[in-house]
Amino acid sequence: MMKNLIRICLFTTLLFVTGDLVAQNVHVSTPRTSLVLSAPVGGELKYVYYGSKLTENDYREVYNAPVMQHTAYPVYGMNCPGESALAVTHADGNMTLQMEVTGTEIKNTDGAVIAVIKLKDKVYPFSVNVCYKAYSDVDIIETWTEIAHAEKKNVTLRKFDSAFLPVRRGNVWLSSLYGSWANEGKLVQEPLEPGMKVIKNRDGVRNSHTAHAEVMFSLDGKPQENYGNVIGAALCYGGNYKLRIDTDDSEYHQFYAGINEENSAYNLKKGELFITPALALTYSAEGLSGCSRNFHRWARKYKLAHGNSLRKILLNSWEGVYFDINENGMNQMMGDIASMGGELFVMDDGWFGDKYKRNSDNSSLGDWKVDTGKLPGGIRKLVDDARQHKVKFGIWIEPEMANTTSELYEKHPEWILKAPLREPVLGRGGTQVVLDLGNPQVQDFIFNLVDTLMTNYPEIDYIKWDANMAIMNHGSNYLPKNEQSHLYIAYHRGFENVCRRIRAKYPELTIQACASGGGRANYGVLPYFDEFWVSDNTDALQRIYMQWGASYFFPAIAMASHISAAPNHQTFRTIPLKYRIDVAMSGRLGMEIQPKNMTDEEKELCRKAIADYKMIRPVVQLGDIYRLLSPYDRLGVASLMYVSPEKEKAVFYWWKTEHFCNQHLPRIRMAGLHPDKIYKVTELNRIDNQPLDYEGKAFSGAYLMANGLEMPYNHKVDYHKLSDYSSRILYLEEVK
C-alpha cells in the first residue's frame, strides 16, 4: 500500500480551463527533487521549476511566483535566432516546426514513473513525445524524446537533442571533465560567461577520452564539495555527443544535450520511431559530492551491470608480460596472485593468431584462434590451472576491430568501415581498422566470438573488452547510399544490439569496458559492463587526479584501479609501493604487475593490503563518497572518504601530492559520519615503525567532522626506506 502511495505522489497533474486551452500541469518528483512543467493541451510544453522537493503548498503556488516559462523542447523554424533542440527538413523542403501539446500519459514501471507529454506539429503529421522518468528511490530524473511522423516521404532530422534545461543566471560555475589518452578524467571548473560553451565528441567508437558527456552546474558560485546547490546532468550515450550551454541575453543559461548531429543527418522513414538517448538529471543541496552520491546510487541500482555485487581482486597480465604470453608464465602469475589473496587472473593481449601471430599490435585482430605455439594446451589448460590455484580466469578481446594483416580482413574486406574509392586510414600498429557494426553479419561475428568462448569454456568469469581505434573512415559497405550519414548512429545501435544479446545469454559474466584506457566511461555503455578501465596510465600520483574526476559521476565499484610497477611504465616515475597500494585501494582494487619481479617484502605488503581491502570492500564499493580536499586545489594533499549507508563504517584516504621541506598542509575535516556515533580508528597498510598516536582510539563523528585528525607529513621508517611520498588509509568502525 505504501509503495503504491509513493508511486502516486511521484506524478501529479492539475487540470483547469484557461480560455480555449485545457491546462495540464505536470509534477514529476523523486525523494528529494521536483520537476514541474506546464502542458496545456493545444499550447506549448514549458518548464516551470526544477530543484529541491516541493511541498504540496509550494507546488500549488509555484505558478504564481516568477517561473522559468521556457519551452521544454525548443524546435527550429518559428524563432530562428534562438538555439533549438530539434531541427528537421520535411519531405516538401519546409524547415519549420511548431509543436503543441496533445496529451499526457502516465506509465508505472518498477521503481519509477514515466510521464510522456505528447506533442504534434500544428500543420504536419509530425510528432514528438517528451518523456520523463522519475525514480522512487534515487534522486534521478531521466528525460528523452521519441520522434516519429506520417509524412509521405522521409523527414530529415538535422538536429535531435535528448533534452533542454534552462539554468537561472547568477554566479553559476560549470564542472566538467577533459583529457587525452593516459590523462583521462581531468577536472575543469569555470564560471559560465556570455557566449556558447560546447563539449563534444566525434571519435565514433570511444567517447570519454578528450571530454565527457556529464557536467555539473554549481548555482551558488565557485563549486564546493559538501555544500551548495548543484544540478548534475549525464547523457547516457556511448557514441558521438554534443553538450551546448548558450549564455545569451536572457536570464538563463540554455543547456542542450544529445547525439552530435555533425555528419549524422538522419532520414526518418514514415512510421519509424527515433528514440534519443536519456539525459539523467539530478539536484543536490549538498554540493558536488552530494550530486555524485545521487549518480552513484542510481548507477549501482539501475545503470551498471551487477552494480551491487562486490568486485573481485584481480591480476592482469598486460604490464607484467605484454605480448609475451606463454603457459608457464600465465601459471606462475596465477599462483602469485592466489598466494597474495587475489581472486581472479586475466590474460591480456597476445594469446591468439594462427596464420598471423599476435606478437605486437600490428596483426591478427579478428582471428580469434589460440596461438598454440604460445599455449599448447589452449584456453582449457589455463582454465584448469586457474581452478587448481583457486582463482577465476578472465581473458582479453578487442572484438570491434581488425587488422589488415589478418585472415578476417582477407576473407571479409567489405566488413570494415571505409569509403568507396578511398584507401583506408589505418590506426594502431599501422594496420588497424574498425568493423562495421551497422552490418548484422558483423554483429553476429562479434556475438559468436563471445558465445564460442563461453560455450567452450563456461568457467571464464571475466572478459576485458577493448577498443583501440576511432572511426577514421566515413563509409559503410552495408548502409545504402542515401543513409551514409547514419553511420555513427548505426554503429552504436549495432554495438548495443551485440551487448544486449551477450547479456541475455550470459547475464552473470563480468565484462570490463576498456577503450584505449578510459575511452568508454559513459552510462550509455555501462548497463552492459561491470566496470571501466580508468586509464592506461597506472601512475599512482596521476591516478589520484584522474580517479578524482571520474568519481564525480561514477562509483568506485566501476573504477578499475591497479597496483603497478616502479618505475611506472607510462610516466617512469618511481613511487613507493605503499603509496601505489593506497591509491589503488580507493577504487576496484587490482594488480597490473609481474609478481615474480617483486621482493618477498613487497608481496607480503600486498597480501596484507588485499586482506584489508576485502574487509573494507563493501564500504568502498557500495558506500557514499565524500570528497574532502581536491588535488586540483594545489594545497599539497588530496583526501576523500567513503561512508557505509548506515554510517557505522567509513574509510578515509589521505595522499600527499607535493613534498617540500618545512611545508604546511591543511588538516582535513571528515564528512558524512553520524555526529553521535563513536568511531574507532585503525590505520591500514601501516609501514611506520610506530603507530599513529590515535591508533585504536575512538572519537565521535561530531569531533571528526569538526576537527579531523592530524596526518604526519612523512612516514617514520628506517633511513633507507625514506621517500618523498606519504599516504594514509584510516578505517573507522562504530564502537557499539
Side-chain angles (χ1 to χ4, degrees):
M1 182 67 180
M2 179 59 69
K3 187 174 183 181
N4 290 334
L5 180 61
I6 291 172
R7 287 187 175 180
I8 292 169
C9 291
L10 282 172
F11 184 91
T12 308
T13 62
L14 294 179
L15 299 178
F16 56 91
V17 177
T18 306
D20 295 328
L21 300 180
V22 177
Q24 188 171 34
N25 298 321
V26 180
H27 179 196
V28 181
S29 65
T30 69
R32 294 188 296 178
T33 73
S34 288
L35 174 65
V36 181
L37 302 111
S38 173
V41 174
E44 280 190 288
L45 175 65
K46 291 187 176 183
Y47 277 116
V48 175
Y49 173 87
Y50 179 57
S52 58
K53 185 72 171 281
L54 295 176
T55 65
E56 284 301 316
N57 177 75
D58 288 339
Y59 169 57
R60 288 192 300 269
E61 298 297 337
V62 71
Y63 301 94
N64 299 317
V67 291
M68 293 181 187
Q69 288 300 315
H70 278 75
T71 299
Y73 195 65
V75 296
Y76 180 78
M78 304 301 288
N79 184 18
C80 299
E83 288 290 311
S84 62
L86 178 65
V88 309
T89 301
H90 296 281
D92 63 3
N94 193 319
M95 295 177 65
T96 66
L97 287 170
Q98 193 172 21
M99 309 301 291
E100 63 181 8
V101 176
T102 62
T104 300
E105 181 182 356
I106 305 169
K107 301 178 182 179
N108 289 292
T109 65
D110 187 24
V113 168
I114 298 175
V116 180
I117 298 95
K118 300 178 180 181
L119 310 179
K120 182 183 177 299
D121 188 83
K122 291 185 176 182
V123 175
Y124 290 86
F126 184 95
S127 62
V128 177
N129 290 338
V130 182
C131 307
Y132 297 91
K133 181 177 183 179
Y135 289 88
S136 63
D137 53 356
V138 294
D139 287 303
I140 296 287
I141 296 173
E142 297 177 16
T143 177
W144 68 95
T145 57
E146 300 169 347
I147 305 167
H149 74 90
E151 300 184 30
K152 293 180 180 179
K153 295 182 180 180
N154 291 350
V155 173
T156 301
L157 307 183
R158 295 182 288 108
K159 185 180 293 181
F160 30 86
D161 284 339
S162 297
F164 161 75
L165 182 71
V167 178
R168 181 63 165 83
R169 287 180 70 166
N171 190 6
V172 178
W173 283 58
L174 177 71
S175 296
S176 60
L177 304 179
Y178 73 101
S180 187
W181 175 81
N183 193 25
E184 294 94 334
K186 296 295 293 298
L187 175 67
V188 61
Q189 296 176 318
E190 56 192 326
L192 286 178
E193 302 289 353
M196 180 74 78
K197 171 73 175 180
V198 178
I199 300 171
K200 66 179 182 179
N201 174 269
R202 300 198 314 185
D203 181 284
V205 173
R206 312 155 303 180
N207 71 2
S208 57
H209 265 139
T210 58
H212 268 251
E214 304 88 27
V215 294
M216 290 187 189
F217 299 94
S218 295
L219 308 181
D220 310 309
K222 189 174 181 180
Q224 302 295 326
E225 281 295 347
N226 293 301
Y227 64 88
N229 297 298
V230 181
I231 294 173
L235 185 69
C236 306
Y237 186 59
N240 295 355
Y241 58 82
K242 183 182 287 185
L243 311 182
R244 294 173 290 145
I245 305 164
D246 182 25
T247 303
D248 56 14
D249 59 347
S250 74
E251 293 292 340
Y252 285 82
H253 305 284
Q254 322 277 335
F255 174 56
Y256 301 82
I259 296 173
N260 191 332
E261 81 287 355
E262 297 175 52
N263 302 308
S264 293
Y266 193 89
N267 301 315
L268 188 66
K269 299 178 179 65
K270 179 180 180 180
E272 180 184 359
L273 186 65
F274 186 96
I275 303 176
T276 63
L279 178 73
L281 296 171
T282 191
Y283 180 91
S284 176
E286 299 175 353
L288 300 169
S289 288
C291 232
S292 297
R293 292 190 289 275
N294 290 347
F295 278 125
H296 296 182
R297 292 166 186 152
W298 165 74
R300 287 191 296 261
K301 186 159 188 180
Y302 295 105
K303 300 299 286 188
L304 180 66
H306 311 121
N308 286 305
S309 298
L310 297 176
R311 304 300 195 247
K312 298 180 181 69
I313 300 164
L314 64 85
L315 170 64
N316 184 278
S317 70
W318 179 242
E319 286 192 18
V321 298
Y322 292 103
F323 291 99
D324 188 18
I325 298 290
N326 60 74
E327 277 184 3
N328 290 336
M330 299 298 95
N331 187 57
Q332 164 255 310
M333 296 182 87
M334 291 180 201
D336 280 331
I337 189 61
S339 70
M340 289 185 279
E343 300 154 322
L344 169 67
F345 172 75
V346 180
M347 178 176 64
D348 211 285
D349 199 353
W351 59 269
F352 55 94
D354 187 9
K355 178 180 178 181
Y356 302 103
K357 307 299 183 183
R358 181 71 169 177
N359 295 316
S360 69
D361 59 13
N362 63 6
S363 76
S364 312
L365 286 179
D367 301 344
W368 301 106
K369 300 176 183 177
V370 173
D371 182 346
T372 54
K374 295 181 177 182
L375 303 170
I379 295 174
R380 171 52 55 197
K381 175 68 164 58
L382 299 175
V383 168
D384 290 344
D385 287 346
R387 184 188 303 109
Q388 290 184 357
H389 290 295
K390 297 182 180 179
V391 294
K392 299 292 185 179
F393 179 77
I395 195 167
W396 177 97
I397 56 175
E398 190 172 358
E400 298 161 71
M401 312 290 166
N403 292 112
T404 52
T405 305
S406 69
E407 294 181 74
L408 176 67
Y409 181 74
E410 291 173 349
K411 184 178 180 181
H412 290 292
E414 77 282 3
W415 279 7
I416 73 166
L417 290 174
K418 184 186 78 67
L421 308 178
R422 308 288 186 191
E423 291 298 317
V425 178
L426 302 175
R428 187 178 184 220
T431 61
Q432 190 156 339
V433 290
V434 180
L435 298 178
D436 186 353
L437 266 74
N439 185 336
Q441 289 183 307
V442 173
Q443 296 173 33
D444 289 342
F445 171 78
I446 296 173
F447 172 78
N448 288 334
L449 159 62
V450 176
D451 190 38
T452 299
L453 280 172
M454 297 306 300
T455 299
N456 292 338
Y457 314 104
E459 302 92 337
I460 290 176
D461 183 74
Y462 180 106
I463 285 178
K464 179 179 178 180
W465 182 305
D466 214 340
N468 285 303
M469 185 179 171
I471 292 178
M472 306 294 290
N473 304 273
H474 194 116
S476 168
N477 285 293
Y478 174 76
L479 293 173
K481 291 180 181 180
N482 65 340
E483 294 184 4
Q484 289 295 303
S485 61
H486 295 194
L487 184 149
Y488 292 114
I489 294 171
Y491 185 94
H492 281 277
R493 286 178 174 175
F495 173 69
E496 290 184 357
N497 183 48
V498 171
C499 291
R500 280 192 292 268
R501 292 172 65 187
I502 291 170
R503 278 302 179 198
K505 189 166 184 180
Y506 302 104
E508 301 307 315
L509 178 64
T510 300
I511 312 177
Q512 182 193 80
C514 177
S516 300
R520 274 186 169 160
N522 181 276
Y523 285 118
V525 171
L526 289 177
Y528 312 108
F529 292 81
D530 299 71
E531 63 181 31
F532 61 92
W533 185 221
V534 175
S535 177
D536 282 344
N537 184 348
T538 57
D539 176 79
L541 181 60
Q542 196 163 354
R543 271 297 186 110
I544 291 174
Y545 292 83
M546 293 188 287
Q547 292 175 191
W548 188 275
S551 77
Y552 269 53
F553 304 99
F554 306 102
I557 196 170
M559 297 195 297
S561 184
H562 293 180
I563 303 164
S564 63
N568 178 262
H569 290 195
Q570 293 80 43
T571 65
F572 309 105
R573 196 181 347 250
T574 298
I575 296 177
L577 180 59
K578 151 76 172 169
Y579 194 96
R580 287 178 269 148
I581 291 172
D582 285 359
V583 172
M585 284 178 66
S586 66
R588 193 278 288 140
L589 178 64
M591 300 185 75
E592 191 92 7
I593 198 169
Q594 175 51 279
K596 74 177 183 181
N597 296 333
M598 300 169 67
T599 66
D600 289 342
E601 183 180 8
E602 289 173 331
K603 288 182 179 179
E604 179 61 16
L605 184 58
C606 286
R607 186 192 65 77
K608 290 180 179 178
I610 288 172
D612 283 341
Y613 186 78
K614 289 177 180 178
M615 175 180 66
I616 66 173
R617 178 162 48 183
V619 182
V620 175
Q621 295 187 5
L622 304 177
D624 293 324
I625 192 171
Y626 291 84
R627 289 181 298 269
L628 306 174
L629 183 61
S630 171
Y632 294 92
D633 289 342
R634 306 296 178 186
L635 295 176
V637 66
S639 181
L640 58 79
M641 62 192 297
Y642 298 102
V643 182
S644 65
E646 301 78 15
K647 297 186 181 297
E648 87 284 16
K649 297 176 182 178
V651 185
F652 170 88
Y653 296 85
W654 183 96
W655 305 286
K656 194 165 70 170
T657 55
E658 298 174 350
H659 181 74
F660 299 99
C661 289
N662 196 29
Q663 69 184 136
H664 301 283
L665 303 177
R667 182 162 61 179
I668 310 299
R669 297 181 180 90
M670 297 186 187
L673 303 173
H674 192 293
D676 299 329
K677 291 183 185 292
I678 304 298
Y679 296 92
K680 178 183 176 183
V681 179
T682 303
E683 183 183 8
L684 306 183
N685 302 337
R686 179 166 70 86
I687 61 171
D688 296 55
N689 293 331
Q690 298 292 330
L692 296 170
D693 292 339
Y694 40 78
E695 174 71 25
K697 303 297 191 295
F699 304 85
S700 71
Y703 176 86
L704 294 171
M705 291 189 290
N707 300 281
L709 296 170
E710 287 285 2
M711 297 292 118
Y713 292 2
N714 301 293
H715 292 292
K716 297 178 180 179
V717 295
D718 295 343
Y719 184 82
H720 69 282
K721 293 183 179 180
L722 291 172
S723 80
D724 55 343
Y725 285 88
S726 180
S727 60
R728 306 280 174 176
I729 301 179
L730 303 182
Y731 177 51
L732 310 180
E733 189 171 18
E734 180 188 1
V735 178
K736 300 286 188 176

